[in-house]
Amino acid sequence: MAEKFPESTKNECLARMLTVRDALDVISGKWKILIIISIMSGNKRFREIERSIPKISSKVLAKELKDLEEHQLIKRRVYDESPVLVEYTATDYVFTLEKVIEELHNWGANHRKKILEK
Amino acid sequence: MAEKFPESTKNECLARMLTVRDALDVISGKWKILIIISIMSGNKRFREIERSIPKISSKVLAKELKDLEEHQLIKRRVYDESPVLVEYTATDYVFTLEKVIEELHNWGANHRKKILEK
DNA sequence: GCAACTGCTTACATTTAGGTAACTGCTTAC
DNA sequence: GTAAGCAGTTACCTAAATGTAAGCAGTTGC
């Protein structure tokens, strides 16, 4: 099989890696993309998000939500009614990840098909 | 912000998650995509790949290469010359990941720009 | 007045990934 | 003959991620 980037110098290869790593640093991990999908799908409340993702624990969810908020991928709003109501929503910025998620979804579907065919 | 998948039922949301997870199970981790990029860029020999990826160790590289081979993303060939020569190359299948990698790269570049702007 | 829901936090344990360094058997170059 | 390269393996260790379980302060419903 021919190489994909035949023209690439070592530095170009390295630059490509570092850039991809920048992305992975933010969105990799077992849960982040799943949480983003859940919120993009309209789940807003903590327990709602928690129930939508199989096997996630409150602890992990709380931590990941903080991470995502720090990276401005989601917004946390507290409405001081009683009882206190908390809502997580998608930011504009998280929509820049749409294509990444779409491609991951396409590839996942394709890969599953491949596995089952064997 | 409006939700991205407003029409989606709980089951659709779940299906989307599971499919994306299938993809992540194969390609997530600190090193896999970087190794794929290295091999796609034309690096073939173990030491060559090792040198192309900053801070990776032989142990981790060996393990990840086995994983990638199992998933048929790369091909390992042993030429029984003396000394033994081993070559890792990209399979056709790994090219189905091209778009995923491209989108990760785009997003990483964009994200870096965003961070620096602040 | 008791169970159940909310949005979490805490303590503790285990699992997994990853790092470090040494070492192997073989070969070539000086 | 000795250093250095090749393609790894092995043993040991640390750190990070994740799991488990319980609890809390407040509210609602029966």
Side-chain angles (χ1 to χ4, degrees), chain B residues 3-87:
Chain B
E3 66 226 43
K4 171 56 195 166
F5 309 120
E7 83 295 352
S8 63
T9 66
K10 276 168 198 181
N11 285 339
E12 280 165 348
C13 170
L14 187 60
R16 207 171 348 249
M17 282 183 199
L18 294 178
T19 304
V20 169
R21 180 105 97 176
D22 282 348
L24 292 176
D25 283 346
V26 178
I27 61 167
S28 76
K30 197 170 171 182
W31 303 108
K32 290 214 174 59
I33 300 262
L34 304 191
I35 295 168
I36 289 171
I37 291 173
S38 176
I39 294 176
M40 279 183 165
S41 297
N43 294 309
K44 293 179 167 55
R45 313 287 300 276
F46 188 92
R47 295 290 182 199
E48 198 181 8
I49 298 165
E50 191 177 4
R51 279 189 302 260
S52 77
I53 303 173
K55 313 250 179 183
I56 200 170
S57 68
S58 319
K59 180 189 135 189
V60 168
L61 180 56
K63 186 199 136 250
E64 298 286 53
L65 286 171
K66 272 175 204 157
D67 270 24
L68 293 174
E69 205 200 350
E70 263 176 39
H71 289 295
Q72 304 178 45
L73 295 169
I74 59 169
K75 176 87 185 139
R76 179 180 188 269
R77 282 197 194 78
V78 183
Y79 298 96
D80 214 355
E81 304 159 7
S82 163
V84 176
L85 186 145
V86 180
E87 262 191 19

Side-chain angles (χ1 to χ4, degrees), chain A residues 49-87:
Chain A
I49 298 166
E50 189 176 7
R51 280 188 301 261
S52 75
I53 303 173
K55 314 248 179 187
I56 201 170
S57 67
S58 322
K59 181 189 135 187
V60 168
L61 179 57
K63 187 200 137 247
E64 298 286 53
L65 286 171
K66 272 176 205 159
D67 269 25
L68 292 173
E69 206 200 349
E70 264 178 38
H71 289 294
Q72 304 176 43
L73 295 169
I74 61 170
K75 176 86 185 141
R76 179 180 189 269
R77 281 196 196 79
V78 183
Y79 297 96
D80 215 357
E81 304 158 8
S82 162
V84 175
L85 187 144
V86 180
E87 263 190 18

Side-chain angles (χ1 to χ4, degrees), chain A residues 15-17 19-20 23, chain B residues 100-110:
Chain A
R16 205 169 351 248
M17 284 183 198
T19 304
V20 170
Chain B
V100 172
I101 294 173
E102 203 182 307
E103 291 303 338
L104 280 172
H105 184 262
N106 289 345
W107 196 83
N110 184 60

Side-chain angles (χ1 to χ4, degrees), chain A residues 76-114:
Chain A
R76 179 180 189 269
R77 281 196 196 79
V78 183
Y79 297 96
D80 215 357
E81 304 158 8
S82 162
V84 175
L85 187 144
V86 180
E87 263 190 18
Y88 294 92
T89 48
T91 59
D92 289 337
Y93 189 49
V94 84
F95 284 86
T96 60
L97 274 173
E98 238 190 297
K99 282 193 179 171
V100 172
I101 295 172
E102 202 182 309
E103 291 302 337
L104 279 172
H105 184 263
N106 289 344
W107 195 83
N110 184 61
H111 187 64
R112 185 186 295 176
K113 223 165 80 187
K114 192 187 172 185

